Amino acid sequence: MKLLYTKRSPFARKVRVIALEKGITLDLIDEDLQKKSQRLLDANPLGKVPTLILENGTPVFDSPVICQYLDSINDKNIMIPREVFERIEVLKWEAFSDDLMITAINFYMEKIRHPQDFHKDFCTTLENNIQLAYGHIDKNLPKLKSFNLSSIAVASAIGYIHFRLPHLKVQGKLSQWFEEISKRPSMAQTIPVV
């Protein structure tokens, strides 16, 4: 299977961590999102990453669907519980984390696109939302004790924020949790880079 991705994508990071944890080999193809390849556009008309291309050529996107697909391949290290209420809890954390990633991306892109005249109120709102999210995660850390898709998604979001918005690093217990989870080999191997 081929994974079209970028090394800095927090969404692709979730997928890569799940594949590593489950012992699934992916052929990683680093895409340039400024000059989208025909391969990426053929697989995903929106040109978004991550996009997984199965052995039979079938494209799978986006990250929540890819994560569920990869988790279904084998029973090694179940990342999404099979029991319905546990599953819903994990998928809620993934959705929350994806929204946090989008918030961080929007904040970063606004400042990149308009470095001198960025929309201050918009950026202030996004920064406040990130801080509120940190508070929610911190308050619910006991729910993230298991290493599964919920903790992977939260750590991927925080990792992206630390990478792109270093002035918004987590503090206290949340910082300790993030440091600890970041030591896991699958997380260490997928740290975002330019």
Side-chain angles (χ1 to χ4, degrees), residues 23-41:
I24 298 168
T25 301
L26 298 176
D27 181 13
L28 300 175
I29 301 171
D30 197 1
E31 290 284 341
D32 180 348
L33 297 182
Q34 299 302 313
K35 300 174 190 160
K36 296 179 182 181
S37 71
Q38 194 58 51
R39 172 186 51 232
L40 177 59
L41 293 170

Side-chain angles (χ1 to χ4, degrees), residues 19-182:
L20 288 167
E21 290 290 333
K22 297 189 71 67
I24 298 168
T25 301
L26 298 176
D27 181 13
L28 300 175
I29 301 171
D30 197 1
E31 290 284 341
D32 180 348
L33 297 182
Q34 299 302 313
K35 300 174 190 160
K36 296 179 182 181
S37 71
Q38 194 58 51
R39 172 186 51 232
L40 177 59
L41 293 170
D42 288 346
N44 182 337
L46 295 175
K48 291 178 65 177
V49 296
T51 294
L52 182 70
I53 301 175
L54 304 183
E55 296 296 336
N56 67 5
T58 302
V60 180
F61 48 84
D62 60 359
S63 65
V65 179
I66 298 170
C67 288
Q68 289 190 47
Y69 174 74
L70 293 176
D71 197 45
S72 74
I73 289 177
N74 65 46
D75 288 332
K76 179 182 177 185
N77 296 330
I78 302 295
M79 295 286 122
I80 305 169
R82 306 303 192 238
E83 193 279 319
V84 68
F85 292 110
E86 291 175 17
R87 181 179 191 83
I88 288 169
E89 186 65 23
V90 166
L91 294 176
K92 280 182 1 188
W93 276 105
E94 181 190 24
F96 174 82
S97 299
D98 284 358
D99 286 344
L100 178 54
M101 292 174 202
I102 291 167
T103 300
I105 290 167
N106 288 340
F107 185 14
Y108 173 75
M109 292 308 294
E110 175 65 16
K111 288 215 164 181
I112 289 297
R113 288 182 183 133
H114 311 286
Q116 303 304 319
D117 62 342
F118 61 87
H119 193 291
K120 186 176 181 193
D121 291 342
F122 177 66
C123 288
T124 298
T125 297
L126 295 176
E127 186 167 340
N128 289 340
N129 288 345
I130 291 169
Q131 294 295 349
L132 288 170
Y134 283 172
H136 176 74
I137 297 164
D138 188 62
K139 186 171 62 177
N140 288 282
L141 277 177
K143 294 180 179 179
L144 298 170
K145 282 188 177 176
S146 297
F147 189 80
N148 58 30
L149 180 58
S150 57
S151 53
I152 292 166
V154 169
S156 295
I158 293 170
Y160 181 80
I161 293 166
H162 284 200
F163 173 62
R164 289 296 197 195
L165 305 166
H167 69 286
L168 291 175
K169 290 193 185 275
V170 292
Q171 305 292 320
K173 291 184 305 181
L174 183 52
S175 177
Q176 293 168 351
W177 175 87
F178 180 67
E179 279 181 37
E180 193 59 37
I181 199 169
S182 296

